[in-house]
Amino acid sequence: VLIFADEAGVGPAAVAAIPQAPGTRVYVVNVGPRFARLGESHFVVNPANAGDYAALFDALGDAATALGHVVYAWTLTPEATTRDQVEAGLDVHFYGPLALARAMSLRDLEQPLAITFLTQGVAQVAGETAVAPLGATVSGPSRVMPRELPNLATRIVDIIVPTTAPQRESLTRVLAVELASAPTSAIV
C-alpha cells in the first residue's frame, strides 16, 4: 500500500485500520520541498515536481511493481481562497495525479492496482450549495488513468473531514471498509 498522507491523518488512520495480509508493506509519502527518503518506507515528494514521483518509484524499486493499492489523501485539503492557494492546489489535485500516472506508466506494473483519491466537498450529496471546484479537478486524472493504464482502477471517495474524536473514529472504520473493497464505481 502506498499512501500519500494528508496533514489531518485521515488517510493513514484508515489504512492502518485495514487488516493487511502478512508481509504487506505500507509506504507513506508526505508533502515536502523536494524528494527525500526519510526511512525504509517513508518518503517526501514535492507535488509540483513531476520528477519527484519518478524518483519515488525508483526508490521503491521492485516493491513498486507489486503495489496493490495507492491511497491519495493529499486531496483532503481546504478549498483555496487565494491565487497562490489555487496554484498549489492544482499541483496536488490535478498535476500531481498526472505525474503519478506518468511515473507508473514507466514501470512494468505486474498486478492490478487500485488508486483511491480521498476528497472533501467535491460531490453534492444532500443538496449542499458549496461544492469544492478545485478538489473536483482530480476527477480528470481519475477518469483518464484507467484508460491509459489498463490494469489500473480508480475511484474518488468524497468525505467530510470530522471535527470530533467520535466522528473521526466512525469515519476511520467506514473508510477502512471502503478501502479494503475493490473499486466498483468512479465516485463514492
Side-chain angles (χ1 to χ4, degrees):
V1 178
L2 177 64
I3 177 152
F4 291 81
D6 58 299
E7 291 180 15
V10 173
V15 168
I18 301 170
Q20 301 291 344
T24 299
R25 299 282 313 261
V26 176
Y27 300 94
V28 178
V29 184
N30 293 103
V31 172
R34 66 189 155 284
F35 174 78
R37 184 173 200 151
L38 303 179
E40 191 173 328
S41 59
H42 190 193
F43 303 89
V44 172
V45 166
N46 180 340
N49 185 345
D52 280 9
Y53 293 88
L56 171 65
F57 276 81
D58 288 343
L60 288 170
D62 290 340
T65 61
L67 287 173
H69 199 161
V70 175
V71 178
Y72 195 91
W74 284 358
T75 42
L76 286 176
T77 57
E79 190 58 27
T81 57
T82 68
R83 182 180 179 95
D84 289 343
Q85 289 174 336
V86 168
E87 289 174 8
L90 284 172
D91 289 335
V92 168
H93 294 270
F94 186 77
Y95 297 112
L98 288 179
L100 174 63
R102 173 80 172 136
M104 289 188 304
S105 73
L106 298 174
R107 306 305 180 281
D108 186 21
L109 301 177
E110 298 171 354
Q111 63 185 30
L113 177 64
I115 299 181
T116 302
F117 295 98
L118 300 180
T119 60
Q120 176 172 266
V122 169
Q124 271 187 319
V125 178
E128 307 88 55
T129 55
V131 176
L134 181 61
T137 61
V138 77
S139 65
S142 179
R143 289 181 178 165
V144 169
M145 291 167 85
R147 289 182 171 90
E148 298 294 324
L149 300 166
N151 65 331
L152 186 68
T154 62
R155 67 179 156 194
I156 296 172
V157 177
D158 196 50
I159 64 168
I160 296 174
V161 176
T163 56
T164 66
Q167 290 173 335
R168 180 177 286 267
E169 291 170 15
S170 177
L171 176 64
T172 297
R173 285 191 303 276
V174 170
L175 270 179
V177 169
E178 183 63 39
L179 293 175
S181 67
T184 56
S185 62
I187 299 179
V188 179

